[in-house]
Amino acid sequence: RRAGHLCAMRHTRALLSELSAGTAAGGETVAAVGQAVSQALESSLHVAQADILVADWEAGVLRSAVGRLRSLPLDGALAASLGRRPEGMVVELDHPDPVVGELPAGEQQWLADGGVHLIMPLTSGREFVGAMVLGEKLSELPFSSEDHRLLAPVAAAVALRIENLRLRDARTAAAPIDS
């Protein structure tokens, strides 16, 4: 178990380095960031699946950057709960976190259908930009406090990278076209 944790720490440091440098996991698009981070999380934490949900404010949904999960309404109880819980939520539908147990049936079904076992908010400053979603660990062990400590800086870096890409895209769209 200790060796696995050290390996996950090395992978996490590499992922954070890539995100901050804007390379590989940084990508040039939000979709590229989502894909790279999802793959890195799957291999480093040995989870069945990982996904990055990105807030699409115009459509009013959290949209999968990887395309694995259905969109989730931004005005729903789950998204609102994530905005208030920086530590995220462990999702065990048999023994749910109290917040998970209080979600509407449709959102609990979304969690079950997606195989979600941990969901962490992505916030940049005070702005909610999305969520990092992890499936079951291949070891079938629950997510530990060590896992949360490893994931918190990854979530922060992913959120910052998404926000930077959005700012770049907005600046590019607003720039006058040279003729």
Side-chain angles (χ1 to χ4, degrees):
R1 175 146 165 87
R2 181 81 176 137
H5 177 69
L6 291 174
C7 181
M9 282 179 52
R10 278 193 301 274
H11 285 288
T12 302
R13 284 190 193 117
L15 177 59
L16 286 169
S17 176
E18 289 176 9
L19 283 165
S20 63
T23 60
E28 288 299 317
T29 65
V30 171
V33 170
Q35 186 69 41
V37 171
S38 294
Q39 288 173 347
L41 289 171
E42 288 169 1
S43 66
S44 65
L45 292 176
H46 308 287
V47 294
Q49 66 180 15
D51 203 342
I52 301 298
L53 301 177
V54 180
D56 180 341
W57 296 105
E58 289 180 20
V61 297
L62 282 167
R63 190 177 315 279
S64 169
V66 180
R68 291 187 179 141
L69 298 170
R70 293 189 325 263
S71 294
L72 185 68
L74 274 167
D75 62 357
L78 181 55
S81 295
L82 284 170
R84 294 187 303 268
R85 302 217 25 202
E87 74 280 6
M89 287 182 269
V90 173
V91 179
E92 294 178 21
L93 296 177
D94 295 340
H95 308 298
D97 176 298
V99 172
V100 174
E102 294 174 8
L103 293 173
E107 292 188 359
Q108 287 188 28
Q109 190 62 50
W110 180 89
L111 292 166
D113 291 348
V116 177
H117 282 250
L118 178 68
I119 185 166
M120 296 186 74
L122 301 176
T123 54
S124 178
R126 292 186 178 175
E127 178 147 1
F128 177 72
V129 298
M132 187 166 61
V133 180
L134 301 172
E136 183 176 25
K137 288 173 121 181
L138 298 178
S139 66
E140 298 182 2
L141 293 171
F143 284 95
S144 67
S145 57
E146 289 176 4
D147 294 326
H148 283 268
R149 281 194 297 275
L150 284 171
L151 290 169
V154 172
V158 170
L160 183 61
R161 184 70 180 139
I162 289 170
E163 189 62 19
N164 285 341
L165 288 169
R166 285 183 168 172
L167 290 171
R168 181 206 63 194
D169 292 347
R171 189 175 54 243
T172 301
I177 300 173
D178 294 334
S179 41

